[in-house]
Amino acid sequence: MTEELERFKAQALSELEAIAETGELEAWRIRHLGRKSPLTGILRGLATLPLEERRRLGAAANELKVFLEESLAQKRQALREAETARLLAAAALDVTLPGRPWPQGGLHITTQIQREVCDIFVAMGFQVAEGPEVEWDYYNFEALNIPKDHPARDMWATLWIDYERDGERPMLLRTHTSPVQIRVMEQTRPPVRVVVPGKVYRYEATDATHEWMFYQIEGLAVDANITMADLKGTLFQFARRLFGPERRVRFRCDYFPFVEPGVDMSIDCFVCGGKGCRLCSESGWIEILGAGMVHPNILRRVGYDPEVYSGFAFGMGLERIAMLRHGIDDIRLFYANDLRFLRQF
Ligand code: PHE
């Protein structure tokens, strides 16, 4: 019997030796280690043998089984290595070359500025709110003290949605983030302190300073005893945090139907320090936002008593802020998807 095992062993090894491809290994395994292989036959027959012989033969047969299994594993490994070497040689692949880096994404410049501006106001106790870009005439104009046929509507070249109701077209793409003032006040009672970033749309030809879609951020604070001093102090702090601790600000009268009084705020030009240069059109000042005290009509409309509550609101274009911060001279670069531009930020 042991001689038989020796023969099995010699036969199996010489066959294994001859194999040149991993695909043939399985057939070899079935032949020599499978259920119908002579070795398995011997192992199965052990039970019928006398004890002494069973021990001896059993040990030898099991040893052979383990030996063949190990030989198979070694052969498989050797073939695999040889195949890899062949493939590498065929492809002339230099595995020592450094890998190609994955392109890494980043936040869009507008998103960065939006977060930065929000963070400044959040640190002052404002919450962040959002509203729809497709808006009703009511929120975009009517509730903001801009009735139908009021000439102030000309301040916002409007993209109307093709939707008729009772012969009117009350739906539009919001022209500013101010409608969210109304939406927020409808939902809450004072005190209100929110900032509202988001996209706005204008029916306008594009040029270096105009896009038909851009971003604004709105601010609104309403409470008892809010005064113009709160407006000025808040926006002054904001300007200094965003544009540097030396900044001076200037408020001038301006008109927006939903505030009274209305102002615009400028910062002193950080390029020329106020002496006058190209950036500030020789004026020394750069206008960055519109603001004012919330008009009593608006408070009344949302059910706030203007005898008890007052507030201030402001709004600014985010791209303009980014352009000032980074010296970008054309707003059309923002959404032209040119990576050479976008990667700079
Ligand atoms: N919504 C105004 C605009 O787009 C800006 C503004 C907001 C002015 C809030 C005053 C108060 O021009």
Side-chain angles (χ1 to χ4, degrees), residues 115-130:
R115 291 191 180 181
E116 202 175 327
V117 172
C118 281
D119 285 350
I120 291 173
F121 285 106
V122 165
M124 292 194 248
F126 285 74
Q127 288 179 298
V128 180
E130 281 184 315

Side-chain angles (χ1 to χ4, degrees), residues 31-272:
R31 240 179 1 259
H32 298 285
L33 288 163
R35 271 186 301 127
K36 293 182 183 152
S37 66
L39 183 57
T40 306
I42 289 175
L43 285 166
R44 281 222 190 92
L46 285 175
T48 62
L49 296 178
L51 181 64
E52 198 47 37
E53 203 173 338
R54 195 193 312 168
R55 274 218 187 109
R56 207 171 35 80
L57 191 61
N62 271 313
E63 202 178 299
L64 178 57
K65 183 167 180 254
V66 171
F67 176 77
L68 290 181
E69 281 167 354
E70 276 168 4
S71 304
L72 175 64
Q74 274 164 22
K75 180 73 180 185
R76 193 184 297 279
Q77 178 69 18
L79 285 179
R80 223 178 256 154
E81 275 163 20
E83 264 160 42
T84 311
R86 261 206 311 281
L87 282 174
L88 288 179
L93 180 63
D94 181 355
V95 291
T96 66
L97 274 178
R100 271 176 225 158
W102 282 99
Q104 238 195 350
L107 292 179
H108 191 277
I109 172 65
T110 305
T111 308
Q112 292 180 38
I113 284 285
Q114 180 177 304
R115 291 191 180 181
E116 202 175 327
V117 172
C118 281
D119 285 350
I120 291 173
F121 285 106
V122 165
M124 292 194 248
F126 285 74
Q127 288 179 298
V128 180
E130 281 184 315
E133 289 166 33
V134 178
E135 186 55 285
W136 299 104
D137 178 301
Y138 178 77
Y139 290 105
N140 197 84
F141 290 129
E142 202 78 29
L144 286 168
N145 216 20
I146 316 168
K148 300 234 158 27
D149 306 318
H150 193 285
R153 290 206 174 196
D154 293 349
M155 292 168 74
W156 296 276
T158 308
L159 283 155
W160 293 93
I161 299 284
D162 197 6
Y163 170 86
E164 304 245 344
R165 193 173 64 181
D166 305 332
E168 308 231 6
R169 291 148 69 205
M171 214 186 241
L172 45 75
L173 295 181
R174 68 179 178 191
T175 60
H176 49 178
T177 42
S178 302
V180 190
Q181 288 187 32
I182 308 296
R183 289 180 174 274
V184 168
M185 287 190 283
E186 278 180 348
Q187 301 295 324
T188 41
R189 304 295 308 162
V192 172
R193 278 197 296 269
V194 288
V195 281
V196 183
K199 282 187 188 130
V200 301
Y201 302 81
R202 302 270 171 100
Y203 182 53
E204 249 165 352
T206 57
D207 63 26
T209 52
H210 295 85
E211 258 292 6
W212 64 273
M213 186 284 295
F214 58 100
Y215 281 75
Q216 285 190 336
I217 186 161
E218 190 84 9
L220 174 70
V222 183
D223 202 352
N225 302 317
I226 291 214
T227 70
M228 189 91 183
D230 297 305
L231 178 158
K232 291 179 78 174
T234 305
L235 294 177
F236 177 58
Q237 284 309 321
F238 162 72
R240 290 199 152 190
R241 291 206 193 160
L242 197 63
F243 288 106
E246 327 276 58
R247 287 288 67 72
R248 292 184 298 139
V249 296
R250 179 187 72 179
F251 292 88
R252 290 190 306 183
C253 292
D254 201 346
Y255 171 67
F256 302 96
F258 34 93
V259 287
E260 180 59 36
V263 295
D264 63 53
M265 183 177 90
S266 302
I267 54 176
D268 61 326
C269 181
F270 45 80
V271 169
C272 62

